[in-house]
Amino acid sequence: MNIIADKLKKTFAARDRADFLALSALVLVFTALAFFRLGNTYAPQSYYTTDTSNRDIVLDFGDYVDLSSFSVFLGNLNTRHFSLSAFNEVTGAWEIINGEAVAESVFAWNQIDLNYRLRYLGIVVTDDESMINEIVIKHMDGSVILPVNYEEYPALFDEQELFPDARTYMTGTMFDEVYHGRTAYEFLHGLPAYETTHPHFGKILISLGVLLFGMTPFGWRFVPVMFGIAIIPLMYFFARKLFKEPFIAAATTALLVFDCMHYNLSRIATIDIFAAFFILMMYYYMFRYFQKDSAYRCGLLAGHNITSVISSSSSDKSASAGSFCALSDKFPPTEVYTPLALSGISMAFAIATKWTGVYAGAGLAVLFIWYTLTHFPKKQTLRLFLFCCLFFVAIPLVIYTLCFIPVVGYTQYDNLIDKTIQGTLSMFDYHYNLEAEHYYSSPFYEWPVIWMPLLDANDIVSADKVSSVSCMGNPLIWWAGIPCVLYVLFSWIFKKDKKAGFLVIAYLAQYVPWMPIKRITFIYHYFPAILFVILMMGYTMADIRKRFLWGKKAITIYLVTAVICFFLFFPVVSGLPVPQEYGLRLRWLKEWILVL
């Protein structure tokens, strides 16, 4: 008996070490890659505001100079309009250089060309209000020049050293950061919220990074990257519970670590990585609910340890199992309720981040009803359904409501409930009536094959180099995932494999709701579904490993090629400056525009 116990102890210890080493290596690799050139830890912070009574800025350069450009780092108000003019000392009048100059991006450097010789530069902000963090004037020779009266505008010329040699994602906002990063800043300062088309928990999370590190690229991307790291152990534990083997769990998690879209969404201040994390977590805990209940029904969680079960006779074990299964029909333990509660709480945070959490919740409902009705008697089913009303309805409503606390500016509202209702109606109206076009948009049927990647940022760094940030999947992972989805679907339908059914339902819950959507969509909307495609790939790899002697070797070779593919595309998904020609050579499909 002691020999059996010692062997079991050594086996579990070895597995624990394998789990720890594999998971630690994957987390460390991704952490290093994710924080590599994440963004500057500095940006202009002081600001100058204008309104209808204070909109003129007059700069004196002391003598006539040849100016090439005027760069402005905007605060939280986007698309500010300027009228630029030069003073004619002969006629004594101002002559307009550019009466319709525009700076669009918030918390980023915006360049406006001048190409004019003058002494006095007049800048008139034609909007009712603006927030300008810094102004930089460049000479024709490329040098930065200060006006002699810069002390009259201290907030505009006190951080000149922060002006970059090249404007890239490292120095300011990119893509939807102009909405989510900006709103995070506004939450912290009690300003009217600009981005009101999604629930607000994700922007609250982004604001925590801004609170810690300031309104800088590193600050607004810090919390997303931490969630991008945190989803790795979550995926590992999920795969470990599904497939029971450290190698397959590590292989499955490696596919997530080296997926280009996971990397991209972890390094941009948008809400998608948060939603994906909570969606994966809610399904993980629903699966744990199934596992805990099944284990309890077999008597392993009802006061019998493994040793006692092994040592008992066959008749004793049968009687024991029967008695405990009967007992479980009446009194499921807290071990069964706990993962169910955590699944509901995870769903609450998912919905409070993005409404796609509702799609995922529909999949959870299907899985819960499917399992519960087939495993519990009527009395226990009623008790479980009442329990779920608390954790899948009441608590999500509370958390969803609380995420509206920092919101200012929808309209005049009486209380938090009123604010939540009006905000929700506003969101629905926006998405239902949205009519917009975007070059990089793509419908749902193009997503699995990566027909149209999304270019988040593209900036010229030098005469022969560009910095590009593309949102796309790793082709060798996404394309290989398509037959894996079909294989798992086959296993569910024809082999009646419930584990396969769980994965198929989870995948379809993230994908099918997008099919009737008529509004503009993008490839990153597929990311929650990809999490389950990766688990389906793990399912397929587990079968290959079990069925074929060469399975482990084949899986290892495939993983190596997927990692190589990730690093091949790494420059154009990370913003690493590379020759433009490099990005053009990666145009494997004709619609791919990874650099400009």
Side-chain angles (χ1 to χ4, degrees):
M1 193 59 241
N2 291 332
I3 294 174
I4 295 175
D6 289 342
K7 284 185 177 181
L8 287 171
K9 186 176 180 180
K10 290 179 180 179
T11 299
F12 288 126
R15 288 184 176 181
D16 288 344
R17 286 196 298 270
D19 283 336
F20 176 77
L21 292 174
L23 180 56
S24 297
L26 291 168
V27 169
L28 288 173
V29 168
F30 184 80
T31 300
L33 291 171
F35 276 103
F36 174 68
R37 293 174 54 86
L38 178 62
N40 288 348
T41 56
Y42 52 86
Q45 299 296 308
S46 60
Y47 55 88
Y48 179 87
T49 58
T50 67
D51 53 33
T52 54
S53 62
N54 174 39
R55 59 175 60 191
D56 298 344
I57 301 170
V58 178
L59 305 180
D60 178 10
F61 293 93
D63 201 353
Y64 279 83
V65 291
D66 295 312
L67 302 182
S68 65
S69 64
F70 154 73
S71 293
V72 55
F73 193 96
L74 286 185
N76 72 304
L77 299 177
N78 66 299
T79 316
R80 298 298 91 177
H81 302 82
F82 305 91
S83 177
L84 308 178
S85 56
F87 185 71
N88 188 322
E89 293 185 281
V90 175
T91 63
W94 289 94
E95 298 176 351
I96 295 178
I97 303 171
N98 184 348
E100 299 179 346
V102 179
E104 295 184 344
S105 297
V106 297
F107 299 106
W109 290 100
N110 299 262
Q111 180 176 307
I112 300 169
D113 292 334
L114 289 172
N115 299 317
Y116 207 88
R117 182 176 177 80
L118 52 76
R119 174 179 174 178
Y120 296 99
L121 173 64
I123 304 171
V124 179
V125 182
T126 57
D127 299 288
D128 288 343
E129 58 179 344
S130 74
M131 178 177 170
I132 304 172
N133 286 30
E134 195 75 6
I135 286 177
V136 171
I137 311 293
K138 295 189 76 172
H139 196 276
M140 284 292 188
D141 63 8
S143 61
V144 174
I145 182 171
L146 271 175
V148 296
N149 66 330
Y150 71 91
E151 292 182 346
E152 295 179 21
Y153 307 97
L156 293 179
F157 296 97
D158 60 338
E159 298 170 293
Q160 297 284 290
E161 72 281 1
L162 302 184
F163 185 69
D165 294 331
R167 295 173 298 140
T168 69
Y169 79 98
M170 292 278 293
T171 65
T173 50
M174 61 175 167
F175 191 56
D176 279 356
E177 288 183 337
V178 298
Y179 306 123
H180 301 114
R182 165 185 175 173
T183 304
Y185 172 89
E186 290 165 344
F187 281 175
L188 290 174
H189 292 82
L191 298 170
Y194 180 72
E195 202 291 306
T196 58
T197 63
H198 296 289
H200 305 291
F201 185 63
K203 288 159 281 184
I204 293 171
L205 291 173
I206 293 172
S207 72
L208 298 179
V210 175
L211 189 64
L212 289 172
F213 300 103
M215 194 59 189
T216 66
F218 184 90
W220 60 67
R221 293 172 192 149
F222 177 75
V223 177
V225 84
M226 295 305 294
F227 270 75
I229 294 168
I231 203 172
I232 295 170
L234 178 58
M235 175 64 80
Y236 187 91
F237 295 139
F238 204 162
R240 189 71 169 82
K241 295 298 181 183
L242 279 165
F243 311 124
K244 310 294 185 183
E245 187 181 347
F247 173 75
I248 296 300
T252 304
T253 308
L255 295 178
L256 177 66
V257 168
F258 294 103
D259 176 54
C260 300
M261 184 170 288
H262 168 232
Y263 181 77
N264 172 275
L265 295 180
S266 299
R267 287 164 47 88
I268 182 171
T270 58
I271 60 177
D272 296 278
I273 194 65
F274 306 135
F277 175 86
F278 291 121
I279 287 171
L280 188 63
M281 180 175 281
M282 60 202 255
Y283 277 89
Y284 168 76
Y285 280 117
M286 182 59 70
F287 185 75
R288 293 292 289 141
Y289 159 66
F290 298 163
Q291 279 192 323
K292 291 286 187 181
D293 179 66
S294 296
Y296 177 70
R297 286 171 181 276
C298 292
L300 297 181
L301 294 179
H304 282 66
N305 57 34
I306 292 175
T307 303
S308 64
V309 172
I310 291 173
S311 63
S312 61
S313 66
S314 298
S315 59
D316 290 340
K317 281 189 278 190
S318 299
S320 178
S323 63
F324 287 128
C325 287
L327 182 63
S328 68
D329 288 343
K330 297 180 180 179
F331 305 109
T334 56
E335 286 86 348
V336 172
Y337 283 109
T338 300
L340 200 58
L342 292 173
S343 179
I345 293 170
S346 301
M347 188 191 78
F349 286 121
I351 295 173
T353 300
K354 197 169 185 177
W355 280 359
T356 49
V358 177
Y359 305 160
L364 277 187
V366 171
L367 290 168
F368 171 76
I369 294 170
W370 172 35
Y371 183 88
T372 304
L373 292 182
T374 56
H375 288 77
F376 290 92
K378 289 183 179 180
K379 286 185 178 180
Q380 191 55 48
T381 297
L382 178 60
R383 185 179 299 175
L384 283 166
F385 272 87
L386 291 174
F387 181 81
C388 287
C389 285
L390 172 63
F391 282 94
F392 288 86
V393 179
I395 290 178
L397 282 174
V398 170
I399 291 176
Y400 181 81
T401 301
L402 292 176
C403 83
F404 281 80
I405 288 175
V407 176
V408 176
Y410 274 125
T411 181
Q412 293 298 319
Y413 26 70
D414 298 325
N415 50 52
L416 180 58
I417 302 298
D418 186 36
K419 184 191 296 190
T420 304
I421 292 172
Q422 292 189 46
T424 301
L425 292 174
S426 174
M427 291 177 206
F428 179 81
D429 181 70
Y430 171 83
H431 291 290
Y432 185 78
N433 295 303
L434 178 63
E435 294 182 6
E437 294 182 358
H438 197 289
Y439 181 82
Y440 295 104
S441 66
S442 58
F444 71 92
Y445 51 82
E446 294 181 351
W447 300 341
V449 295
I450 324 176
W451 188 256
M452 176 61 76
L454 170 64
L455 194 61
D456 288 335
N458 187 90
D459 299 284
I460 297 173
V461 176
S462 64
D464 63 340
K465 289 187 176 183
V466 295
S467 170
S468 174
V469 179
S470 295
C471 181
M472 62 179 295
N474 182 326
L476 290 192
I477 296 175
W478 284 39
W479 293 346
I482 296 172
C484 291
V485 171
L486 297 177
Y487 176 73
V488 176
L489 179 62
F490 173 87
S491 297
W492 181 32
I493 294 174
F494 295 101
K495 297 182 181 180
K496 309 302 180 184
D497 188 329
K498 292 182 179 180
K499 192 179 297 183
F502 179 95
L503 293 175
V504 170
I505 291 171
Y507 168 73
L508 293 178
Q510 318 312 313
Y511 191 32
V512 171
W514 288 104
M515 295 179 181
I517 298 295
K518 296 181 179 180
R519 55 145 288 176
I520 189 172
T521 56
F522 296 91
I523 192 171
Y524 62 80
H525 290 134
Y526 191 57
F527 183 64
I530 275 293
L531 297 176
F532 296 97
V533 171
I534 289 174
L535 286 171
M536 289 178 172
M537 296 176 76
Y539 179 99
T540 306
M541 289 188 293
D543 268 14
I544 291 172
R545 172 78 188 278
K546 181 171 59 177
R547 293 172 180 274
F548 303 103
L549 293 175
W550 45 262
K552 185 173 183 178
K553 184 176 181 180
I555 292 168
T556 303
I557 292 172
Y558 166 69
L559 290 175
V560 170
T561 58
V563 172
I564 292 172
C565 185
F566 171 82
F567 283 105
L568 185 67
F569 283 87
F570 181 76
V572 296
V573 298
S574 67
L576 186 68
V578 291
Q580 186 182 44
E581 182 64 24
Y582 182 88
L584 295 175
R585 289 179 179 177
L586 293 175
R587 195 172 184 179
W588 292 2
L589 298 180
K590 67 175 184 177
E591 297 296 329
W592 288 12
I593 300 178
L594 307 179
V595 297
L596 293 175

